[in-house]
Amino acid sequence: MEPIRFLDDDGTFTLNDPEAVSCLYFPLASEAGLKSAITPGLGGDCKLDQETFLLEPVSSENLHASRSTRNFWCVTEEGCWSAAGASAQQEADRFTEKQDECALTVGLMWQTVCRESKQLGLQAEITSFVPPQDNVEIMEVQLTNTGTVPRNVTGIAAIPIYGRSADNIRDHRNVTSMLHRLQTTEHGVLVKPTMSFDEKGHRENHNIYYVLGSTGAGEKPVAFYPTVDSFLGEGGTLLKPRAVYEGAEGVPAGTEIAGREAMGGIRFPAVTLEPGQSTEYIVLLGVSEDEAEIDRVLSSFHTVEQVRAALSVTRAHWQEQVNVRYHTGDPNFDRWMRWVSFQPFLRRIYGCSFLPHHDYGRGGRGWRDLWQDCLSLLLMDPQNVGDMIRKNFGGVRVDGTNATIIGAGDGNFIADRNGIARVWMDHALWPLMTTKLYIDQTGDLNILNSPAPYFKDPQALRGTGIDQDWNDAYGNRQRTESGEVYQGTILEHLLIQHLTAFYEVGEHNIFRLRGADWNDALDMAAEHGESVAFTCAYAGNLRDLAGLLRRLTKEGDTVSLLEEIQELLAGGPAIYPDIPAKTAILERYTRRCIHNVSGRTIRVSLRELADNLEIKANWLMEHIRRQEWISDGENGWFNSYYDNHGRQVEGVQPDGSVRMMLTGQVFAIMSGTATDTQVEAVARSADRYLYKKEAGGYRLNTDFHELKFDMGRMFGFAYGEKENGAVFSHMTVMYANALYRRGFVREGYRALQSLADTALDFQTSRIFPGIPEYFNADGRGMYHYLTGAASWYMLTVITQVFGVHGEGGDLVIEPKLVREQFDGNGEAAIDLSFAGKQFHVVIANPEGKDFGVYRAPRTVLSREEINSLPESGNTIRVELT
Ligand code: G1P
């Protein structure tokens, strides 16, 4: 297998013989919504959303079979050849010396495949991209005669148009083709199904799916094969279509056909290529409701000059978007970080669906993703994040849970009309984590006083009951007794989220697991399960929230809060050990808010509020330290969960095997629950029980050798896959982040670097550069691109490793780089924007010392306005004028 080679510092890379590796795919997408997945053999698919697939949906399991998705045939006197490598003959020649030579080059949102048939002396270079603001995938095909004699070539584009909902892949596949209405135009094939068809109800369809073609000079095609039937011919296949091999005439523009599977089959005029001569073709694949828009797309992209200009714009656009650049001692790591920093944009466009591994979900983002997106935006494009945060708080219910069905655009939350909704007990954490980063980076502490509405739907009593009085007329905003929409401050939202969680405890006085926590696959312990891991995280948040309140406080200051919140603030530490008393408090509060809120407010002293939260945080941490510490005789770690039988999940088993999970360790460390001595012990335990170099680093858990139906579906997965013991990037990154925060820099570096090293080791990871959701037991990267790990990786590298972060709006630089991260001159650097200005921060360590030894690194900032560089120890604070 050939290695991946980077070509420049933008992250562009190349790979020879890419088809020798299975399951490689790449995303191409536009901010307008078109989402493609493309393989080196031009397989994959293309869609706007779940209902609107232009190309037939594929998953990782049939990706190899989708190789004739975007085909381009070259008919010559000496035979037919597929410029995409998708012909029966080329398949037969694979892995023999007759196979085509093939090289792939990829940059942010574009790819070029160069393929040459030595036998025919023909080379094809196919560039695919999606312009940032248009819903069209563009394919530029350049054919070159690399032989020694002139060659006649007829180009035929062959793209089957699926044109309907992904659900119809099995549900009425044939019946829905009867809805198709096909039409050939001067440049291609349009398909407009009469209706969209499913059991929920049939609706009139307005989408037009199209494949258009022109020569590089903008000339029209000569004929079309608009149906799969006419293209394949009787008994033909997409790898050996009779229309191509037998020279079928096709139909002219202006042909209309009803009720057939559609084919974007386009025959171009024959050309004679002299040796060394090239010719170009353009193929456009898209979907739109408006024929005029299709004409506009065609006139914008029908010559090679237009397409190349659009490609430059696309390349520049994404390079600009990813406006952080890293410089360390390892240039490949820096280039890899370009891809990691690009991934949050992909997550925003694709959500958690629509790439071949992500063959689930119907698009849209989850609650965690919303807040994670904000993290990366805060680092790259912070202008509108304050606004997004304010809108996202409108998804919090007054009982502290939140909307889980999230619509398009910011702040659009959809009512959950299912019986009883699932509640993920970690959800209330992420908004504070993001809001705190926002405040640190911008200094905008006042956001805590911004008003926001609460979400309202039939779900009530924290997902345990239904508000029978709610109806559509009530709407999705919480109202008061007098019928007005109630707005509380963001601070009030945060208080409600954390205080309600505080009282929702199980038998061990640990927060109940409910439907699951961050680990979605812990979904079978709703009655008695408890999450120590996320109780730690809440304890840390309570402390952070208290810290923010103290910063907000001037002597004697008060805030206005919804009267009902008094229930959650009453009762001091004396009742914290009393589980029934806690349950009763929560019950009283949620019952009072089951339909309307009073709308009345009380004033509470900020100082008292901060004290109240801090006492709760301290109590929780102490409780966990006392109750959840596990020892194996030598080292120790924290138990992370209780199962549905109320049993502690981790520990040394009677047979001597060890059950340990990473999640509990991460949040015990991050929150400050673990003491420094405990962090040391935990790190040793993690190295001993969870670290596996070949798998890419720290695994999520040891092998329990049990199905554990009292915990969750994760135990049904084979060990080493996904949430069951894979090296799950997101949690490993959070582990690293926690270690760095606590000053355990070497340990943090090991966790963080092991992910990068494995991902970059193409022989093992077999993925394009970037961070995958997880590495399986063989170290193979899985579920590439769409993962919250990317935002967290960036966050950790920028704010911890380089240590560049905000504090009250000031720029603070507190590097935690280790010796190996400096280049040959003893320098490491980062370019990033902060407070709307671009910074070039250089950390100089000329003597090549290690972290903890180098002091007060010379830090050079490229801005002149910096008025002071007070240095103390290893930290520099830049007060921005
Ligand atoms: C995915 C989900 C995330 C969930 C995690 C663990 O992680 O998107 O919401 O918390 O699995 O179950 P990700 O791919 O974002 O790393």
Side-chain angles (χ1 to χ4, degrees):
M1 191 191 304
E2 301 240 2
I4 276 181
R5 280 180 297 116
F6 283 105
L7 299 177
D8 58 31
D9 290 340
D10 287 343
T12 313
F13 65 85
T14 184
L15 173 65
N16 286 332
D17 197 14
E19 286 167 296
V21 182
S22 301
C23 215
L24 287 177
Y25 56 80
F26 184 69
L28 295 175
S30 97
E31 287 169 352
L34 194 76
K35 295 173 263 295
S36 292
I38 192 164
T39 69
L42 309 186
D45 61 19
C46 175
K47 76 294 285 175
L48 273 184
D49 52 38
Q50 175 76 6
E51 308 283 314
T52 321
F53 270 72
L54 169 64
L55 304 179
E56 185 177 314
V58 284
S59 99
S60 57
E61 298 313 315
N62 57 359
L63 196 56
H64 58 84
S66 74
R67 59 201 180 281
S68 41
T69 302
R70 302 170 175 94
N71 214 343
F72 194 93
W73 291 92
C74 302
V75 182
T76 75
E77 296 99 331
E78 285 177 49
C80 303
W81 180 68
S82 158
S87 71
Q89 188 58 53
Q90 282 155 288
E91 289 269 296
D93 289 343
R94 287 273 283 277
F95 316 122
T96 73
E97 71 274 11
K98 285 204 232 149
Q99 81 171 23
D100 295 337
E101 291 204 350
C102 185
L104 171 75
T105 308
V106 180
L108 307 187
M109 287 302 194
W110 61 274
Q111 78 163 31
T112 298
V113 191
C114 187
R115 174 183 301 278
E116 183 171 4
S117 162
K118 288 277 178 236
Q119 295 164 64
L120 289 176
L122 210 51
Q123 186 198 61
E125 202 176 279
I126 304 184
T127 298
S128 302
F129 68 100
V130 174
Q133 312 302 344
D134 287 294
N135 280 338
V136 60
E137 184 188 311
I138 302 180
M139 230 172 114
E140 185 206 315
V141 183
Q142 183 181 58
L143 290 184
T144 305
N145 179 355
T146 53
T148 51
V149 291
R151 185 165 291 298
N152 289 322
V153 188
T154 302
I156 300 175
I159 298 174
I161 304 175
Y162 172 76
R164 66 197 93 166
S165 161
D167 298 338
N168 299 130
I169 196 72
R170 203 194 96 69
D171 185 8
H172 296 95
R173 170 74 195 246
N174 180 256
V175 168
T176 46
S177 66
M178 298 170 197
L179 307 172
H180 278 11
R181 297 292 183 273
L182 324 180
Q183 174 197 344
T184 57
T185 64
E186 294 292 322
H187 278 270
V189 179
L190 310 190
V191 184
K192 186 174 182 186
T194 49
M195 52 176 82
S196 64
F197 181 93
D198 64 44
E199 300 302 335
K200 285 177 291 186
H202 310 325
R203 276 161 288 143
E204 187 182 350
N205 164 69
H206 300 287
N207 284 314
I208 307 167
Y209 302 87
Y210 63 87
V211 173
L212 308 175
S214 60
T215 68
E219 297 150 324
K220 292 173 198 159
V222 291
F224 305 94
Y225 310 102
T227 64
V228 172
D229 291 347
S230 66
F231 184 67
L232 301 189
E234 206 64 34
T237 71
L238 284 169
L239 296 183
K240 194 148 188 181
R242 295 185 84 144
V244 170
Y245 281 80
E246 294 171 3
E249 243 180 61
V251 299
T255 308
E256 292 185 2
I257 298 170
R260 296 302 171 95
E261 284 289 334
M263 185 78 203
I266 300 177
R267 193 171 87 234
F268 293 97
V271 286
T272 303
L273 292 177
E274 297 299 326
Q277 198 188 348
S278 298
T279 189
E280 287 87 20
Y281 306 91
I282 289 149
V283 184
L284 305 174
L285 294 71
V287 50
S288 171
E289 291 194 351
D290 181 4
E291 267 188 67
E293 166 63 10
I294 299 174
D295 291 343
R296 186 197 62 78
V297 166
L298 177 68
S299 62
S300 307
F301 307 113
H302 76 301
T303 68
V304 86
E305 289 75 24
Q306 287 174 318
V307 165
R308 290 188 184 164
L311 175 63
S312 304
V313 169
T314 305
R315 293 176 62 157
H317 175 81
W318 291 106
Q319 288 298 332
E320 268 166 41
Q321 294 291 302
V322 184
N323 64 358
V324 193
R325 285 180 183 267
Y326 311 80
H327 175 79
T328 66
D330 177 0
N332 281 352
F333 172 82
D334 305 341
R335 293 155 179 165
W336 179 78
M337 278 303 295
R338 299 277 307 148
W339 287 97
V340 172
S341 310
F342 174 56
Q343 285 179 232
F345 291 98
L346 296 174
R347 175 84 164 220
R348 261 163 64 210
I349 296 174
Y350 287 78
C352 302
S353 305
F354 302 138
L355 282 179
H357 274 119
H358 299 78
D359 53 1
Y360 44 55
R362 302 176 68 86
R365 291 174 293 167
W367 182 252
R368 285 179 212 117
D369 313 327
L370 274 190
W371 296 96
Q372 246 147 206
D373 286 352
C374 291
L375 290 181
S376 55
L377 277 179
L378 272 168
L379 302 168
M380 288 190 281
D381 182 20
Q383 277 108 323
N384 304 320
V385 181
D387 219 35
M388 271 169 90
I389 289 178
R390 280 184 208 98
K391 288 185 179 150
N392 287 346
F393 271 103
V396 176
R397 294 192 189 96
V398 78
D399 67 3
T401 63
N402 52 267
T404 50
I405 312 176
I406 291 150
D410 293 331
N412 293 322
F413 300 100
I414 297 164
D416 192 337
R417 292 160 200 277
N418 290 324
I420 297 282
R422 249 177 99 181
V423 169
W424 285 262
M425 64 79 76
D426 66 308
H427 274 187
L429 280 172
W430 310 105
L432 177 58
M433 290 192 181
T434 300
T435 307
K436 180 166 183 297
L437 182 72
Y438 168 82
I439 292 171
D440 289 341
Q441 296 288 105
T442 61
D444 179 14
L445 192 58
N446 216 19
I447 192 169
L448 294 174
N449 293 320
S450 303
Y454 288 86
F455 182 69
K456 180 72 185 159
D457 64 356
Q459 303 299 334
L461 306 175
R462 293 180 67 76
T464 62
I466 296 287
D467 171 11
Q468 305 291 354
D469 297 331
W470 182 87
N471 54 25
D472 283 330
Y474 189 104
N476 291 125
R477 299 255 181 266
Q478 176 67 53
R479 293 177 184 275
T480 63
E481 290 300 345
S482 55
E484 279 153 34
V485 169
Y486 174 73
Q487 303 229 39
T489 60
I490 285 182
L491 172 62
E492 183 186 277
H493 287 66
L494 290 166
L495 284 168
I496 290 177
Q497 288 183 299
H498 287 81
L499 291 170
T500 49
F502 180 79
Y503 291 106
E504 194 173 73
V505 292
E507 296 150 45
H508 302 89
N509 214 340
I510 296 291
F511 294 8
R512 287 183 55 198
L513 180 58
R514 304 291 315 272
D517 62 11
W518 168 88
N519 188 336
D520 288 337
L522 291 175
D523 54 354
M524 294 164 83
E527 295 81 27
H528 302 289
E530 292 165 73
S531 172
V532 184
F534 283 89
T535 308
C536 286
Y538 277 101
N541 264 16
L542 283 166
R543 209 176 245 184
D544 283 344
L545 190 52
L548 290 174
L549 288 174
R550 294 205 195 283
R551 278 165 59 189
L552 208 57
T553 315
K554 281 183 247 92
E555 200 57 41
D557 277 356
T558 58
V559 275
S560 156
L561 298 176
L562 180 67
E563 183 188 83
E564 289 87 325
I565 294 176
Q566 266 172 323
E567 305 276 5
L568 301 170
L569 292 170
I575 63 121
Y576 298 166
D578 184 345
I579 298 168
K582 279 176 153 172
T583 312
I585 288 174
L586 185 62
E587 177 78 13
R588 255 200 316 278
Y589 171 75
T590 53
R591 289 248 164 237
R592 273 183 75 175
C593 304
I594 190 167
H595 183 53
N596 287 326
V597 292
S598 66
R600 291 184 296 276
T601 56
I602 48 162
R603 296 215 66 95
V604 179
S605 138
L606 271 172
R607 161 91 54 92
E608 279 170 29
L609 207 49
D611 290 346
N612 188 315
L613 301 185
E614 218 149 63
I615 292 168
K616 288 186 167 63
N618 292 342
W619 183 87
L620 284 171
M621 290 189 193
E622 196 41 49
H623 173 59
I624 290 169
R625 277 186 216 115
R626 215 179 32 243
Q627 181 174 284
E628 303 299 339
W629 185 249
I630 288 170
S631 170
D632 65 357
E634 258 174 71
N635 293 306
W637 69 92
F638 286 92
N639 172 52
S640 308
Y641 294 99
Y642 286 91
D643 64 23
N644 217 25
H645 289 103
R647 292 176 304 203
Q648 201 170 59
V649 165
E650 289 168 60
V652 182
Q653 302 304 291
D655 67 357
S657 65
V658 166
R659 293 186 171 183
M660 177 177 178
M661 300 176 92
L662 186 59
T663 315
Q665 321 320 316
V666 170
F667 293 101
I669 296 173
M670 198 184 282
S671 62
T673 303
T675 62
D676 281 358
T677 321
Q678 286 176 321
V679 178
E680 282 166 22
V682 164
R684 282 195 299 270
S685 303
D687 284 349
R688 177 159 177 198
Y689 298 119
L690 298 175
Y691 187 79
K692 188 169 172 231
K693 189 165 191 315
E694 313 78 82
Y698 292 94
R699 308 175 83 147
L700 208 42
N701 51 278
T702 56
D703 191 350
F704 281 29
H705 298 287
E706 189 193 331
L707 281 177
K708 263 194 106 43
F709 292 113
D710 59 1
M711 224 25 227
R713 69 171 191 265
M714 71 168 262
F715 292 100
F717 299 152
Y719 183 64
E721 295 294 337
K722 256 192 171 280
E723 282 95 342
N724 188 16
V727 173
F728 208 94
S729 304
H730 196 172
M731 196 44 71
T732 309
V733 175
M734 292 197 278
Y735 180 51
N737 185 290
L739 289 164
Y740 276 110
R741 284 196 208 189
R742 295 292 300 272
F744 288 79
V745 170
R746 266 286 152 200
E747 291 80 356
Y749 173 69
R750 178 172 155 97
L752 206 58
Q753 197 61 33
S754 64
L755 294 173
D757 289 345
T758 312
L760 274 166
D761 172 11
F762 185 63
Q763 305 284 335
T764 305
S765 68
R766 294 168 197 218
I767 48 165
F768 293 146
I771 190 161
E773 177 181 89
Y774 74 91
F775 296 98
N776 71 10
D778 307 327
R780 195 177 191 118
M782 305 293 289
Y783 293 72
H784 197 6
Y785 295 113
L786 310 180
T787 164
S791 290
W792 271 82
Y793 206 105
M794 279 184 78
L795 179 75
T796 306
V797 169
I798 296 173
T799 63
Q800 294 296 327
V801 179
F802 280 91
V804 180
H805 60 274
E807 264 178 35
D810 289 348
L811 179 64
V812 174
I813 304 163
E814 189 186 356
K816 293 178 187 155
L817 293 145
V818 296
R819 187 194 299 122
E820 305 85 298
Q821 288 173 307
F822 291 93
D823 69 10
N825 302 321
E827 288 188 349
I830 186 163
D831 288 279
L832 80 176
S833 75
F834 185 87
K837 289 161 190 114
Q838 199 60 28
F839 284 89
H840 176 64
V841 178
V842 181
I843 319 284
N845 174 24
E847 279 128 59
K849 292 181 177 165
D850 203 2
F851 173 77
V853 184
Y854 65 79
R855 307 292 297 166
R858 272 191 305 110
T859 304
V860 188
L861 301 124
S862 56
R863 277 197 53 240
E864 281 147 27
E865 301 97 301
I866 292 166
N867 47 16
S868 62
L869 279 180
E871 298 185 8
S872 81
N874 189 28
T875 306
I876 291 174
R877 176 180 288 268
V878 184
E879 285 165 28
L880 300 174
T881 48

